Amino acid sequence: MDLLKFMYCKTLSTTTPTGLLDVLMDADKFEVASCMRYCSNEMPKQQVITKLALLSLDLPLKIQMVGAVQPLIYAAR
């Protein structure tokens, strides 16, 4: 539902790092590049915790290679 809301309103109701990561995965599945960029830009602004960093580094390689996700991977490392 968050992905649909973003597609129509350009806003997300979820602000937690794990929620943003879930939306990022859905955005990749449905190829919504603008949402991937948004999530990737918002996640580093959150307090980076070890769990989030590990989850980010555990993303599938296909997602890690997307240019919009590179800042997130860099912040996780």
Side-chain angles (χ1 to χ4, degrees), residues 21 25 51-61 63-64 73 76:
L21 189 61
M25 296 293 289
K51 181 180 177 183
L52 175 61
L54 292 174
L55 288 173
S56 299
L57 294 173
D58 197 35
L59 288 170
L61 189 57
I63 296 174
Q64 287 186 19
I73 300 300

Side-chain angles (χ1 to χ4, degrees), residues 14-53:
T14 185
T15 58
T16 64
T18 53
L20 289 170
L21 189 61
D22 290 339
V23 174
L24 175 69
M25 296 293 289
D26 290 338
D28 176 62
K29 181 178 179 181
F30 294 103
E31 299 179 2
V32 183
S34 60
C35 188
M36 290 179 71
R37 254 188 318 277
Y38 181 85
C39 291
S40 295
N41 289 333
E42 287 299 310
M43 288 174 72
K45 294 177 186 176
Q46 304 290 325
Q47 181 179 1
V48 178
I49 55 175
T50 305
K51 181 180 177 183
L52 175 61

